[in-house]
Amino acid sequence: MIIGLLKEIKPNEYRVAATPTTVRELTARGHQVLVQKDAGLGSGYTNAEYAAAGAKILGTAAEVYTQADLFYKVKEMFPEEWKYMNKDKIVYTYIHSNAHPEETDAILDSRVTAIAYEDITDDNGMFPLLKPMSILAGKGGFLAALHHMQSVFGGNGTLLANVCGIEAPVVTIIGAGNSGVGAAELAAGFGNIVRILDVNPKAMETAKAILPTNVSFLYSNRENLVKCLKDSDVVINCIMWPKHRKDHLINREDLKLMKPSAMIVDVACDGEGAVETCRSTTHDNPTYYEEGILHYCVDNIPSAFARTASIMLSNATLPFLLEIANKGVEKALKENPHLRKGLTAYNGNLTLKETALKQNRPLTDADELVKTF
């Protein structure tokens, strides 16, 4: 298979889908890898390193898109890339089609085979290609709070650490999953009073076993949430809110319960999702105030740690990519139900339930679809 490694075009996106080590694994198995010139520079990888791993370096995205069978990326497909999609191509990336109706239109109209990292599952029902970026997003979310709470960066001047003679700050984390644990590890390591809210006892027990004793766990109900909002210096939301829901966990009125100039970090970056007042921001303009509360909602936090993120991401995505490349996409989808969960669309058929619900589109069952292959 001819695999095209593209340079990301989203502003402030410095990750790359594959490291030279990953390219070497692909070329060693007989696959051809085309790398767009400078695709890896944002993560510290040179064209020479990719060439040494067996890749062919091409000067433009158009050359890669035209010649490749599979587009290996990090972020969703943007309008200037849609023209390269057709029924003979495969898109393998974070697609997030539920949040991008126009992208969904382009995918369906082009009849491209689109496989989304974020929806691929494992035997435990978890999302192994989301996990590494979720961990980084959680850790990066706390580091963002540490940074933006500084007076010189527009915060209220609270140091999120246990300083002798001063009461330790309170950091509340919503969600005991990968992002929540990542945030809690750093927040607790700095000596903060850390509280994690969740509705899943098993997830809380798993997190409790690996986190230090300055992390406490509360069942996520209205009473406990209100208490945490009143006490917290920082609230970090680490849960994805169902796209079809119109209610919120934290409403605009709830912000009035918080300390003046406290901070909300929304790792999930759902516009009007779990937190009503959250909207996606960028690394160039990461924060804003609503109801006197500082908000940080950057939607690609891991890009700030691009080299680490690229290594973690490429390690996670490679096994599934090898299945696609070695077997062909139809056989791989037919034989691997976890990969099939990641199928967003095939030959003009939308197969992702979440997108169908949110955008009111017809849904094709992927399990039934592969029976026709």
Side-chain angles (χ1 to χ4, degrees):
M1 183 171 282
I2 303 174
I3 297 162
L5 184 64
L6 282 305
K7 184 176 182 179
E8 299 300 319
I9 61 175
K10 180 172 181 171
N12 294 310
E13 182 51 73
Y14 300 106
R15 289 173 290 179
V16 64
T19 66
T21 299
T22 301
V23 169
R24 188 172 287 108
E25 293 292 322
L26 291 164
T27 57
R29 289 165 173 80
H31 303 294
Q32 184 178 2
V33 181
L34 308 177
V35 177
Q36 184 183 348
K37 181 181 177 183
D38 297 339
L41 286 185
S43 296
Y45 296 112
T46 65
N47 297 322
E49 288 177 282
Y50 283 109
K56 181 179 180 181
I57 310 301
L58 297 180
T60 66
E63 292 175 275
V64 177
Y65 277 122
T66 302
Q67 298 179 42
D69 301 313
L70 181 147
F71 308 151
Y72 197 12
K73 283 172 45 63
V74 177
K75 298 303 292 182
E76 63 271 14
M77 298 291 287
F78 285 84
E80 52 265 55
E81 300 171 305
W82 295 346
K83 61 187 176 185
Y84 299 112
M85 297 190 297
N86 62 61
K87 65 182 180 63
D88 297 320
K89 304 290 187 179
I90 304 163
V91 173
Y92 185 53
T93 188
Y94 288 119
I95 296 176
H96 299 297
S97 58
N98 60 75
H100 303 288
E102 295 83 3
E103 181 194 25
T104 305
D105 287 337
I107 287 171
L108 296 176
D109 291 344
S110 70
R111 299 185 176 273
V112 73
T113 300
I115 299 173
Y117 297 160
E118 66 269 20
D119 297 307
I120 293 173
T121 58
D122 61 19
D123 289 338
N124 298 315
M126 305 304 287
F127 301 93
L129 276 61
L130 264 184
K131 181 177 179 178
M133 297 304 98
S134 295
I135 293 170
L136 274 185
K139 291 180 183 293
F142 171 75
L143 292 175
L146 189 72
H147 177 86
H148 289 284
M149 287 290 277
Q150 297 178 48
S151 304
V152 293
F153 297 113
N156 67 11
T158 298
L159 175 60
L160 298 177
N162 190 345
V163 177
C164 187
I166 302 175
E167 185 176 0
V170 176
V171 177
T172 291
I173 297 166
I174 302 173
N178 294 312
S179 295
V181 170
E185 284 178 339
L186 292 192
F190 276 73
N192 296 282
I193 299 168
V194 182
R195 299 171 181 168
I196 295 183
L197 292 167
D198 206 302
V199 295
N200 186 337
K202 185 176 180 180
M204 289 191 281
E205 289 167 5
T206 300
K208 189 175 188 297
I210 60 175
L211 291 171
T213 56
N214 57 325
V215 182
S216 60
F217 295 83
L218 296 170
Y219 191 81
S220 184
N221 56 37
R222 181 63 183 174
E223 181 179 351
N224 286 334
L225 176 62
V226 168
K227 173 178 172 54
C228 289
L229 289 174
K230 290 178 178 178
D231 293 346
S232 296
D233 297 277
V234 176
V235 174
I236 303 177
N237 174 52
C238 295
I239 61 169
M240 298 294 292
W241 201 243
K243 302 297 182 184
H244 61 280
R245 288 187 63 166
K246 302 301 181 184
D247 61 333
H248 315 285
L249 188 65
I250 299 175
N251 297 296
R252 177 177 290 275
E253 285 297 308
D254 293 334
L255 271 57
K256 297 174 183 177
L257 301 173
M258 299 178 70
K259 299 176 182 178
S261 300
M263 185 173 184
I264 291 176
V265 174
D266 191 351
V267 169
C269 298
D270 291 325
E272 296 188 350
V275 184
E276 182 178 8
T277 51
C278 283
R279 58 180 184 271
S280 291
T281 59
T282 67
H283 288 289
D284 286 331
N285 190 20
T287 62
Y288 61 91
Y289 275 92
E290 289 280 358
E291 305 294 341
I293 303 300
L294 182 63
H295 289 58
Y296 176 94
C297 310
V298 171
D299 62 7
N300 62 336
I301 293 174
S303 180
F305 315 97
R307 190 176 181 92
T308 298
S310 295
I311 294 170
M312 295 175 73
L313 181 61
S314 59
N315 287 341
T317 59
L318 178 60
F320 294 97
L321 176 57
L322 284 172
E323 282 198 61
I324 296 168
N326 292 340
K327 298 177 180 179
V329 69
E330 290 187 349
K331 186 177 181 181
L333 287 168
K334 194 166 188 175
E335 293 183 356
N336 189 333
H338 299 306
L339 180 64
R340 196 156 64 241
K341 288 288 188 182
L343 184 65
T344 295
Y346 176 86
N347 195 26
N349 297 289
L350 178 64
T351 54
L352 185 61
K353 183 177 181 180
E354 185 179 50
T355 300
L357 284 173
K358 184 177 180 182
Q359 299 176 10
N360 193 28
R361 298 176 186 265
L363 176 68
T364 299
D365 184 274
D367 292 337
E368 292 300 317
L369 179 66
V370 298
K371 293 178 182 178
T372 66
F373 290 172

